Amino acid sequence: QKEVEQDPGPLSVPEGAIVSLNCTYSNSAFQYFMWYRQYSRKGPELLMYTYSSGNKEDGRFTAQVDKSSKYISLFIRDSQPSDSATYLCAMSVGAAGNKLTFGGGTRVLVKP
Amino acid sequence: GAVVSQHPSWVICKSGTSVKIECRSLDFQATTMFWYRQFPKQSLMLMATSNEGSKATYEQGVEKDKFLINHASLTLSTLTVTSAHPEDSSFYICSAPGGGRNTGELFFGEGSRLTVL
């Protein structure tokens, strides 16, 4: 069993719809949770960063962390074709300088 | 956010040759950098942790003699793939903690695509 599980997709939605992404994990020591967006042949770009449980909102993006269920989510409202990319969840035990454990990534396609 | 630059962005080499990839933190200092490898349609797999002024820490299953890492300064880490073979063809990405507003935030380079013929 992988430490972090993520549905690979692809997830296809019409423009304007809400995109819902999630990851489950097994290591209860994870404290820091991140979502990255990766366009083809590019490095990952940090979208959301959350410490411990709770919700965080930034523009069209909302990240949720439920440590009791070992489950994290990312919601993208009013999706745009430019949101088409692979979304990677990542998490770490410690803070600065600690290595990340990534999920496998979910490929998202937003159709105009 | 902080900027991490990688060079070259892509490289093609013959089997048996060595290839060096550079990772630079442009506007911040990084005592630690991470090197990841990503195969097509797969996630990032951590290869090693590069530590300024000391030896790198390699993940299980990663050959340290094949993937040489040097972190000679606070802004530069290099990954050298020695005696490259076609199975080493992959997307190599480095990252560094940027010391940004979020503790633990990692910034990634644009990646270097290696193709070994």
Side-chain angles (χ1 to χ4, degrees):
Chain A
Q1 181 186 8
K2 293 180 181 178
E3 238 182 331
V4 181
E5 297 277 1
Q6 186 176 4
D7 188 324
L11 178 62
S12 182
V13 300
E15 183 176 356
I18 295 175
V19 176
S20 176
L21 304 165
N22 59 75
C23 288
T24 58
Y25 62 94
S26 57
N27 187 352
S28 58
F30 286 137
Q31 296 276 359
Y32 297 85
F33 304 90
M34 286 137 275
W35 285 95
Y36 285 85
R37 176 175 62 196
Q38 186 178 25
Y39 292 111
S40 181
R41 300 175 185 265
K42 296 289 186 182
E45 171 193 8
L46 181 67
L47 287 177
M48 297 292 283
Y49 177 100
T50 310
Y51 168 69
S52 196
S53 286
N55 296 350
K56 186 174 183 179
E57 188 173 319
D58 186 357
R60 296 185 296 114
F61 299 94
T62 300
Q64 294 182 347
V65 174
D66 182 350
K67 289 190 67 181
S68 62
S69 302
K70 299 189 182 68
Y71 185 91
I72 69 171
S73 302
L74 177 70
F75 300 96
I76 308 174
R77 292 183 297 281
D78 188 24
S79 58
Q80 304 295 312
S82 58
D83 293 326
S84 298
T86 295
Y87 290 81
L88 300 154
C89 64
M91 43 201 80
S92 66
V93 173
N98 275 264
K99 60 184 183 182
L100 297 181
T101 301
F102 281 87
T106 300
R107 185 165 159 249
V108 172
L109 179 62
V110 180
K111 296 183 176 180
Chain B
V3 178
V4 176
S5 174
Q6 270 185 255
H7 177 80
S9 55
W10 59 271
V11 57
I12 301 173
C13 69
K14 292 182 179 179
S15 185
T17 60
S18 295
V19 174
K20 180 186 283 188
I21 301 170
E22 293 186 347
C23 178
R24 294 181 185 274
S25 55
L26 295 187
D27 50 1
F28 65 101
Q29 294 182 333
T31 56
T32 300
M33 290 185 176
F34 300 97
W35 285 95
Y36 289 84
R37 179 168 53 185
Q38 186 177 33
F39 291 107
K41 297 188 179 182
Q42 295 188 26
S43 190
L44 284 77
M45 296 299 294
L46 181 66
M47 298 176 64
T49 302
S50 173
N51 304 297
E52 188 269 335
S54 64
K55 291 183 179 180
T57 304
Y58 291 82
E59 295 299 300
Q60 191 173 11
V62 178
E63 299 176 59
K64 62 180 181 181
D65 294 330
K66 181 168 185 62
F67 299 100
L68 300 180
I69 291 173
N70 184 279
H71 196 147
S73 76
L74 289 172
T75 59
L76 174 64
S77 175
T78 61
L79 168 69
T80 301
V81 182
T82 63
S83 186
H85 290 284
E87 58 265 31
D88 297 324
S89 299
S90 188
F91 194 50
Y92 293 88
I93 312 174
C94 70
S95 69
R101 56 189 174 132
N102 293 313
T103 302
E105 191 168 330
L106 277 186
F107 295 92
F108 284 81
E110 285 290 287
S112 299
R113 184 163 300 281
L114 170 63
T115 301
V116 184
L117 302 177

